[in-house]
Amino acid sequence: MAKADFSVPEIGEHIEVPLLVDGTMAHSKPYVAKADFQTPLGYPGELVENWQQKAIDKMGELLGKYRSLRVYLDSCVKCGACTDKCHYFIGTKDPKNMPVARQDLLRKVYRRYFTFAGKYFPKLVGAEDLTKEVLDDWYSYFHQCSQCRRCSVFCPYGIDTAEISMAAREIMDSIGVGQKYCNEIIGKVFRIGNNLGLTKGALRDTLEGLEEDVLADTGVEVKYPLDQKGAEILLVTPSADFFAEPHVDGLIGYGKVFHAAGASWTLSSKASEAGNFGMFIGSYENMRRISMRIREAALELGVKRIIFGECGHAWRVAYSFLNTLAGPFDFLDPKYPVPQHILEFTYNEIQKGTLKFDKSQNDHMVVTFHDSCNVARASRMGPNPGGQFEIPRAVIKAVCNHFVDMDPDTIHEKTFCCGGGGGLLTDDLMELRVKGAVPRVTALKQVIKDHGVTHMAAICAICKSQFTKVLPYYGLEMGQIVSLHQLVSNAIVLSGAQETRDEDDD
Ligand code: SF4
Ligand code: SF4
């Protein structure tokens, strides 16, 4: 059991609505970004002098740009349907982590400066001045929202707290109060090409190492190409796939699938990161700059298709925004959607009968599946509604004999965030991350108890990192979280592999 310097919640039989404890997470704040991390992104290095006016001006600019923001701030009727739907509220008991209360932190300032009633009768409509105390609350509680959108599924008006959190973070960045974790990472992407700061040389070494490992393991020369001009497919994947467990096992799986399908593919040292933290800080300009690397890499390499690896928020940005941020992609093969997900590729190959599997290779596992919130509620896969739920499960069932779903209230569009999404996957927020995982861990423990589940598969780099870190706080093993393509990798039968294994046996 991992040790904590905060109290780790007890996991009950079922997910329960907690009794309120005021201010229990008011102390939770991520490190503030220093000037070195602010200025490369176009933000002031520290809190600017006339920050109140600047923040109000920025809010006005965002209200003019995004009509949805004004609609969300105007339309809440305080029905209460969202109050108990946030994993951070369930795990922390702090009433300010109720989605409606989180929205109200911005809404009260909006009312004060942008509505008639708020300007002249502020007390009557709950309008408040933007003070330093309010700004402190914004910094704390808008960094306790993983922008997972679960609350919006239950809101009769579809109010999206994620968009409100993004706007709040953008306003704070614009006055010099950015979050270190996100802004440092975005800077690394601009300077080096990926979140982890892996150089081209390090990438090449890693990929050569993977080729040797797969050859030793299967006897088959599976290639993991980098910057290969003229390849058909550009694979853009989260940089965690290049080295961390269990992510790298997923990358091994993608390579085996491409090999078995006879596809020509490459990774890119320029676009060596699928993640796009520009979304977490609500900055379309930074999202655009990050996305442009993918367009440039695709053009330089002359590829015909772009496929994304297992990364939840990367797929959300790619699926929803890549074409408007970095398009048009009229130089790619029009036969394929832009972009595609690796699971769509694998699923299509399974449908075509190109891939062979020995499912018994996964017989030591009883697998469940964690729907990543960004995939579930902000994207799709395949041509049919709900493809983002069906395709991952269809692929798991094609490669595993034992699969069990978790409580229906915690999967598909009602899935719970892992607790580390939305730019919160940083050690300075460990208490929040551990507490935010309560609903998912509760549902996981149910299927462990009732069905003997041994492993949980995920298709998001953040979910995998988060669970690897927080499962031990709840008496579970970090190895119980696996990449979905790791299951594919275990079961796929590569032609030539058996003969070599036999030779080795001789
Ligand atoms: S978007 Fe997710 S994290 Fe944010 S308030 Fe809603 S449920 Fe909570
Ligand atoms: S469910 Fe929607 S309308 Fe109801 S309180 Fe929550 S945000 Fe407001």
Side-chain angles (χ1 to χ4, degrees), residues 82 85-89 96-100 102-103 141 144-152 159-163 165 373 377 416-417 424:
C82 65
K85 303 303 186 294
C86 175
H87 50 292
Y88 291 124
F89 169 62
K96 283 190 181 159
N97 274 329
M98 291 177 173
V100 58
R102 196 183 318 285
Q103 297 164 19
Y141 290 99
Q144 297 188 47
C145 170
S146 55
Q147 306 171 342
C148 77
R149 308 181 87 200
R150 187 170 195 269
C151 47
S152 71
I159 295 172
D160 186 355
T161 319
E163 259 195 58
S165 285
C373 47
R377 287 188 286 266
F416 277 100
C417 168
L424 308 181

Side-chain angles (χ1 to χ4, degrees), residues 75-83 99-100 103 107 151 154-159 161:
S75 55
C76 175
V77 294
K78 301 288 188 287
C79 72
C82 65
T83 50
V100 58
Q103 297 164 19
R107 186 174 283 123
C151 47
F154 297 88
C155 173
Y157 296 90
I159 295 172
T161 319

Side-chain angles (χ1 to χ4, degrees), residues 63-92:
L63 289 166
K65 256 204 302 201
Y66 311 130
R67 284 188 58 79
S68 54
L69 181 62
R70 190 183 286 271
V71 170
Y72 294 152
L73 292 173
D74 277 336
S75 55
C76 175
V77 294
K78 301 288 188 287
C79 72
C82 65
T83 50
D84 58 349
K85 303 303 186 294
C86 175
H87 50 292
Y88 291 124
F89 169 62
I90 293 170
T92 68

Side-chain angles (χ1 to χ4, degrees), residues 8-127:
V8 176
E10 294 278 322
I11 298 296
E13 293 264 312
H14 304 285
I15 297 165
E16 282 165 16
V17 180
L19 295 174
L20 308 186
V21 184
D22 261 336
T24 179
M25 290 300 280
H27 62 278
S28 177
K29 294 180 198 323
Y31 295 137
V32 177
K34 295 207 172 106
D36 290 355
F37 303 132
Q38 287 283 101
T39 45
L41 276 57
Y43 300 129
E46 57 185 29
L47 187 63
V48 294
E49 261 180 30
N50 52 344
W51 63 269
Q52 284 104 332
Q53 192 53 49
K54 283 253 161 74
I56 292 158
D57 291 347
K58 187 71 183 179
M59 188 184 282
E61 181 195 318
L62 297 184
L63 289 166
K65 256 204 302 201
Y66 311 130
R67 284 188 58 79
S68 54
L69 181 62
R70 190 183 286 271
V71 170
Y72 294 152
L73 292 173
D74 277 336
S75 55
C76 175
V77 294
K78 301 288 188 287
C79 72
C82 65
T83 50
D84 58 349
K85 303 303 186 294
C86 175
H87 50 292
Y88 291 124
F89 169 62
I90 293 170
T92 68
K93 308 177 183 174
D94 190 322
K96 283 190 181 159
N97 274 329
M98 291 177 173
V100 58
R102 196 183 318 285
Q103 297 164 19
D104 278 351
L105 294 175
L106 200 74
R107 186 174 283 123
K108 63 189 181 185
V109 176
Y110 160 71
R111 285 197 173 142
R112 181 73 182 95
Y113 298 99
F114 295 95
T115 67
F116 179 84
K119 277 180 195 163
Y120 297 102
F121 314 104
K123 289 216 168 79
L124 282 182
V125 293

